[in-house]
Amino acid sequence: MTSHPVPARSTQKTAAAPERLVIDCHALYQRVYRTPDGMRAVQAWLRANSINPDDLPVHSELVIENSAFGMVIRYETYRINEDGRRYVDPNDPDRAATENRTALLQLPPPADWMALTEGEQRTASASSRRSPGRRAAPWHV
């Protein structure tokens, strides 16, 4: 049985519970990739919130917002075929097939992972950073 890192209860400040927060996965990846245990912390947080890091495109966003069910995380994940493999979107051959999902927020992210809050302008949208033939999510170490 493979053990997964358990998210430690951090002494870092966690984000307050505003209406809507966005984590830019690509910016987060670039920030934590070379830090000690940075990727493991992201993986552990994703798993604690029932999100498989291997299915999360790095050029996507995690949106944390309030809903009728409490705080949730809305995210995009790769679609998997009957053989358990990712596949190309039949409507857009330059992209992997993805679908939108929602998970209940079990563990808030550290405040420094936040990209922007509702009402702020985006300088570049996630879709403008997507490139044809993008690699699989590099959330594994």
Side-chain angles (χ1 to χ4, degrees), residues 112-133:
D112 63 337
W113 289 6
M114 298 304 128
L116 52 106
T117 58
E118 188 171 72
E120 290 184 80
Q121 290 290 344
R122 297 174 199 256
T123 56
S125 70
S127 60
S128 68
R129 288 191 308 270
R130 290 189 177 125
S131 59

Side-chain angles (χ1 to χ4, degrees), residues 55-57 60-61 75-77 95 98-100 130 134:
D55 294 339
L56 185 69
S60 64
E61 295 176 338
Y75 63 101
E76 184 178 60
T77 184
R95 293 195 58 204
T98 58
E99 65 186 8
N100 294 322
R130 290 189 177 125
R134 68 181 181 200

Side-chain angles (χ1 to χ4, degrees), residues 20-95:
R20 183 174 191 267
L21 295 170
V22 177
I23 298 174
D24 180 320
C25 294
H26 185 256
L28 178 61
Y29 172 77
Q30 288 182 323
R31 256 186 282 153
V32 302
Y33 180 69
R34 296 202 194 308
T35 62
D37 294 321
M39 295 300 286
R40 285 190 175 87
V42 173
Q43 290 174 340
W45 180 81
L46 289 168
R47 287 188 180 103
N49 287 291
S50 303
I51 299 171
N52 183 346
D54 294 330
D55 294 339
L56 185 69
V58 76
H59 291 286
S60 64
E61 295 176 338
L62 300 167
V63 178
I64 300 170
E65 60 189 1
N66 207 352
S67 76
F69 304 103
M71 294 300 286
V72 296
I73 305 169
R74 300 192 193 282
Y75 63 101
E76 184 178 60
T77 184
Y78 290 114
R79 295 194 72 183
I80 307 297
N81 66 16
E82 58 276 352
D83 297 326
R85 297 181 166 273
R86 297 178 190 137
Y87 60 94
V88 174
D89 186 338
N91 298 321
D92 185 356
D94 292 333
R95 293 195 58 204

Side-chain angles (χ1 to χ4, degrees), residues 2-21:
T2 306
S3 69
H4 297 289
V6 176
R9 296 291 176 190
S10 174
T11 57
Q12 293 178 333
K13 290 174 61 177
T14 55
E19 294 292 316
R20 183 174 191 267
L21 295 170

